[in-house]
Amino acid sequence: MRGAATQAMSDVVEERQQRRCPPAAAPLRAAARRPAGIVARSSHTALGIARRSRLASGPGGLQQNANLFLREPLESAAASMNGFWYRKKRLYCEQVSVAKAAGTVGTPFYLYSQAALERNFQVFDSSFREIPHLTCYAIKANSNIAILRVFRSLGAGFDIVSGGELFRALKAGADPQKIVFSGVGKAQEEIDLALKHRILLFNVESAAEMKMLEERARSVRKVAQVSLRVNPDVDPRTHPYIATGLRQHKFGVPMEDAAELYRIASRSRHLRIGGIGCHIGSQITRLEPFVDAVKKLKGLVAALSASGIHIRHLDLGGGLGISYNDEDPPPPEAYAKAICEIVKDMECTVLLEPGRVIVGSAAILVTRVLLTKQNGSKNFIVVDAGMNDLLRPSLYGSYHAIQPERVNGRGLWKADVVGPVCESGDFLARDREIQIPKKGDLLAVMNAGAYGMVLASNYNSRPRAAEVIVKERRMKVIRRREGFIDLVRGEAVNPL
Ligand SMILES: Cc1ncc(COP(=O)(O)O)c(C=O)c1O
């Protein structure tokens, strides 16, 4: 039952597994010892990019893939690179059994591998080691403060888009001098809060915003560091809802307007020119759009420099994609190499704002089968997680692999995996070849770490799911499941 076990649960639960297994951090340590080229290959896998977890259709599709999982030797780095792997036909997160975690916290819940989070951040960040840079994790992808704390302890900065995200970053102990504030519409109170904490940069997206920032900085007698987010008019070739770098989008200022805006900034005693940036979209699976955008920015920085405007920070945004299904995005090393090649002779510190590529593969959403049903020729698996828990499939038609917690050899079924929400658009998968489930089985929705919990809602008055992190044999609830009382908090019972 949703949340039944939550209240009684203590925060930290030691997994008392007697079996001896390689600690999940082992591949990380091994990778650190490997020469660069080999690190590139394995870290690619770590980010969930090379490994295909899709259950292929066709005769024996699941069986083949399930066997593939089962054949992985326990010590195989590939099997545990994203923290999730099978032992004796049961799914594990690092050294904690998913079934045991579900028994403790109830379902649905997000389950994170700390080793995968750390590894993904380190792989990304170290790929840029040859140039001065700061990796500012994009909080919007996953904002749990315990997760922010993991990245902060690895030296991360943060990309925020609201006062709430600034609050979270500060709660996680972030250094304000490593915070950049993006977003097309910042409210006065948000600007004031960021000024108060002296953040590193305000990514300004319009003349109107620059004016407002100047006014606020003057009124509180502070100096705001300005970085213009320009719109390089580059097609990122991604889902239209997450493409941001074309002229038709609301984001950024046209490149040709930049010089004039910097001139305005340079005349103010309360604005300091800090940088220039762009963010062309999310879930980008090719290098070319990034390369085109960076080259355009480099040209603009040179032109500005020739007119006496010197840029110290080059913010390249986020956007690197991961493999949810059969996408084949470049690994972070290739992405970094392509960027470093262009920017290495520029006298700038490069800022990066990755989100999805850091957290996407490091979590699953664990859900329980409530029932199965058939409407005519259509099969449905009704589970206890819905679009309010994971919106991506409904919102973007996104693909998430769904893996059984227990491989049972019952054969295959083609079915829609749907939630209990009263919307036909409430689905996690459509027409999916999936192991024939029965009531009470657990399913894992893979690659759910990015834009998962942050997009969760209380639609249909459904309390939001718990979040749990695992480190080797230990697990911890990092966000307790909501109860009914949370649903009505802040509401008044009596109308006028
Ligand atoms: C300004 C900005 N930076 C960074 C990101 C993170 O993008 P991603 O999660 O694709 O890396 C986003 C997301 O859209 C964004 O809008």
Side-chain angles (χ1 to χ4, degrees):
M1 198 198 300
R2 259 178 95 86
T6 313
Q7 308 301 348
M9 183 182 172
S10 71
D11 256 6
V12 182
V13 180
E14 290 281 346
E15 273 285 322
R16 300 197 197 290
Q17 290 177 267
Q18 300 306 317
R19 234 178 269 281
R20 291 210 51 205
C21 295
L28 180 58
R29 287 196 294 271
R33 288 196 301 270
R34 278 189 213 114
I38 300 175
V39 171
R41 177 91 206 117
S42 56
S43 56
H44 190 185
T45 313
L47 294 162
I49 293 163
R51 181 168 177 74
R52 296 281 170 270
S53 55
R54 186 162 82 104
L55 308 186
S57 57
L62 171 66
Q63 218 46 50
Q64 276 170 19
N65 283 279
N67 283 341
L68 181 75
F69 271 105
L70 297 171
R71 269 206 309 273
E72 299 278 8
L74 295 185
E75 298 77 7
S76 159
S80 58
M81 275 298 184
N82 68 359
F84 301 96
W85 58 298
Y86 282 92
R87 181 164 72 205
K88 299 208 166 168
K89 306 192 183 187
R90 306 301 294 265
L91 186 61
Y92 278 72
C93 176
E94 301 195 22
Q95 305 307 320
V96 173
S97 115
V98 169
K100 181 157 188 180
T104 311
V105 297
T107 53
F109 67 104
Y110 280 89
L111 183 59
Y112 301 89
S113 157
Q114 188 162 330
L117 292 167
E118 288 171 353
R119 185 184 168 80
N120 289 351
F121 181 83
Q122 286 169 328
V123 165
F124 185 95
D125 188 54
S126 66
S127 298
F128 286 89
R129 59 188 164 273
E130 69 172 88
I131 56 167
H133 73 279
L134 177 64
T135 301
C136 296
Y137 166 70
I139 292 181
K140 66 177 74 63
N142 189 309
S143 60
N144 186 293
I145 50 180
I147 289 172
L148 303 186
R149 180 64 78 120
V150 169
F151 300 140
R152 194 221 63 178
S153 69
L154 297 172
F158 294 97
D159 168 48
I160 59 166
V161 289
S162 68
E165 287 191 354
L166 175 55
F167 176 77
R168 284 179 175 279
L170 296 172
K171 269 251 172 237
D175 174 356
Q177 275 299 298
K178 288 185 176 180
I179 293 177
V180 296
F181 194 170
S182 304
V184 71
K186 302 175 185 76
Q188 178 178 312
E189 308 76 57
E190 294 177 316
I191 291 176
D192 287 357
L193 188 65
L195 283 168
K196 177 173 160 210
H197 288 281
R198 298 174 193 274
I199 63 161
L200 176 61
L201 283 179
F202 287 85
N203 285 336
V204 168
E205 301 210 18
S206 61
E209 187 189 341
M210 177 103 89
K211 186 163 175 278
M212 182 168 172
L213 181 60
E214 206 268 343
E215 281 166 10
R216 296 316 306 157
R218 183 155 19 93
S219 84
V220 295
R221 297 200 184 88
K222 293 256 164 71
V223 176
Q225 286 232 85
V226 175
S227 175
L228 269 192
R229 173 171 172 179
V230 295
N231 186 324
D233 199 23
V234 165
D235 184 357
R237 287 175 248 173
T238 184
H239 190 285
Y241 289 6
I242 49 176
T244 56
L246 281 169
R247 235 173 232 284
Q248 73 233 37
H249 298 131
K250 66 179 176 180
F251 299 100
V253 296
M255 298 205 21
E256 55 275 20
D257 294 356
E260 180 53 22
L261 284 169
Y262 279 125
R263 245 168 248 120
I264 295 172
S266 67
R267 286 198 285 269
S268 166
R269 282 196 294 130
H270 295 280
L271 298 178
R272 183 179 306 141
I273 296 171
I276 193 163
C278 72
H279 169 78
I280 58 173
S282 193
Q283 184 54 11
I284 300 169
T285 54
R286 305 165 61 130
L287 280 179
E288 296 77 38
F290 291 116
V291 167
D292 289 354
V294 180
K295 282 185 176 162
K296 284 191 171 184
L297 252 65
K298 183 177 182 179
L300 181 56
V301 169
L304 291 169
S305 172
S307 65
I309 296 163
H310 301 292
I311 301 292
R312 285 172 294 128
H313 294 97
L314 184 65
D315 185 340
L316 300 180
L320 187 57
I322 63 171
S323 181
Y324 288 100
N325 187 9
D326 50 11
E327 308 92 329
D328 193 14
E333 294 87 347
Y335 166 76
K337 189 163 176 271
I339 288 175
C340 291
E341 201 50 44
I342 303 166
V343 305
K344 65 180 182 228
D345 58 346
M346 296 174 73
E347 284 167 11
C348 292
T349 296
V350 169
L351 304 178
L352 302 142
E353 302 172 356
R356 188 188 309 271
V357 74
I358 308 291
V359 289
S361 66
I364 59 175
L365 172 64
V366 183
T367 180
R368 201 175 281 283
V369 175
L370 295 174
L371 54 96
T372 59
K373 62 182 272 187
Q374 282 172 292
N375 281 355
S377 59
K378 190 102 183 143
N379 300 324
F380 294 95
I381 302 168
V382 184
V383 296
D384 67 0
M387 63 189 289
N388 73 299
D389 298 299
L390 180 65
L391 186 59
R392 297 188 70 256
S394 307
L395 184 61
Y396 310 123
S398 332
Y399 182 98
H400 283 267
I402 300 188
Q403 297 282 120
E405 180 279 320
R406 180 205 291 262
V407 179
N408 62 22
R410 267 190 236 128
L412 290 177
W413 218 37
K414 192 172 198 179
D416 283 12
V417 181
V418 300
V421 172
C422 297
E423 297 271 350
S424 294
D426 176 31
F427 62 90
L428 298 174
R430 282 199 152 145
D431 290 326
R432 190 68 64 83
E433 297 274 357
I434 194 161
Q435 174 180 281
I436 297 172
K438 64 173 176 25
K439 180 175 184 254
D441 281 359
L442 293 169
L443 297 176
V445 185
M446 308 303 290
N447 298 314
Y451 306 102
M453 188 64 195
V454 283
L455 282 167
S457 77
N458 291 127
Y459 187 42
N460 276 201
S461 284
R462 289 167 50 82
R464 276 177 295 179
E467 291 179 287
V468 175
I469 200 164
V470 163
K471 184 175 182 183
E472 299 185 357
R473 289 166 196 279
R474 292 184 305 148
M475 65 178 232
K476 179 172 182 172
V477 175
I478 53 173
R479 181 187 174 110
R480 70 164 174 80
R481 183 183 309 285
E482 285 179 344
F484 291 157
I485 196 70
D486 297 308
L487 296 176
V488 295
R489 182 159 294 124
E491 292 182 29
V493 174
N494 295 317
L496 288 172

